[in-house]
Amino acid sequence: MLNLVLFGPPGAGKGTQSKKLIEKYDLIHLSTGDLLRGEISQGTALGLEAKKLMDDGKLVPDEVVIGMISNKLDANKKAKGFIFDGFPRTVAQAEALDQLLESKQSAISGMIALEVGDEELERRLLERGKESGRPDDANPEVIRKRIKEYNDKTAPVAGFYQQQDKFTSINGVGSVDEIFDAIVGVNESYN
């Protein structure tokens, strides 16, 4: 089973690259953002709580996210693998994900990090906000807060996977196809 963590700050291109990886390797996309947005659009209690946190640029509690991931894994037991998009975001989440996967006789194959500078991220997110109407992508102050949150809390996860020899950094600036080709080159080493 091929289980990839696609890693990078908001606006790095994780969603775009995930679509291409899913098509090439027949993986199940596991985006915590999509799972949470689904809860929000359904107006569930979890969704309302998540919306308030997300609008403030904050993270949703780990136990909620791990529970959603476990349900998604259980619903797709015959999958060729999963691509984790936007998760784990903390070392505690990475440890919990490793434990969850181990309990299901699986493991993370590797983490691929898309590296993009803060100014480019802000530009991309503001553009995406105009196109998508997502409120968390329309406000420069919230965007800067999300990038800071990533740099402060999420970036240390790279060290967790480096210690396991499962981390590779890719330049996330360039054409979609150039970045994808670089990711595929790294991914081939996991097989």
Side-chain angles (χ1 to χ4, degrees), residues 27-174:
L27 302 174
I28 302 287
H29 186 229
L30 210 156
S31 164
T32 54
D34 288 349
L35 291 173
L36 289 168
R37 281 188 286 278
E39 296 281 341
I40 290 168
S41 70
Q42 293 170 29
T44 66
L46 171 64
L48 295 174
E49 180 185 347
K51 180 174 180 3
K52 183 179 182 334
L53 291 167
M54 289 167 69
D55 285 350
D56 287 342
K58 296 180 182 167
L59 300 177
V60 176
D62 293 354
E63 61 274 5
V64 172
V65 178
I66 288 288
M68 290 188 310
I69 289 171
S70 182
N71 292 341
K72 184 85 169 179
L73 295 173
D74 290 344
N76 294 280
K77 289 184 179 179
K78 296 190 190 268
K80 291 183 180 177
F82 293 85
I83 185 160
F84 294 87
D85 172 1
F87 189 88
R89 293 183 184 219
T90 65
V91 171
Q93 288 177 350
E95 292 169 344
L97 179 59
D98 275 5
Q99 290 171 358
L100 175 65
L101 290 171
E102 187 177 321
S103 76
K104 298 177 186 302
Q105 288 76 50
S106 193
I108 291 297
S109 305
M111 170 190 264
I112 299 171
L114 299 175
E115 304 291 343
V116 180
D118 291 357
E119 286 182 20
E120 175 66 9
L121 293 171
E122 188 172 337
R123 186 195 65 73
R124 288 180 184 185
L125 289 167
L126 286 170
E127 187 63 34
R128 185 170 80 181
K130 289 178 193 170
E131 294 169 10
S132 71
R134 280 178 49 180
D136 58 334
D137 286 344
N139 182 331
E141 216 173 288
V142 171
I143 288 170
R144 284 190 287 276
K145 192 173 187 179
R146 289 169 61 205
I147 293 169
K148 182 178 179 350
E149 180 97 355
Y150 170 84
N151 289 331
D152 292 348
K153 294 184 179 174
T154 305
V157 175
F160 178 81
Y161 288 105
Q162 281 174 323
Q163 289 175 347
Q164 298 179 27
D165 290 325
K166 294 182 177 181
F167 175 84
T168 305
S169 176
I170 300 277
N171 182 356
V173 179

Side-chain angles (χ1 to χ4, degrees), residues 14-33:
K14 296 180 302 292
T16 300
Q17 294 300 331
S18 289
K19 289 175 189 163
K20 294 178 74 67
L21 288 164
I22 289 160
E23 187 177 308
K24 180 169 180 66
Y25 296 104
D26 196 23
L27 302 174
I28 302 287
H29 186 229
L30 210 156
S31 164
T32 54

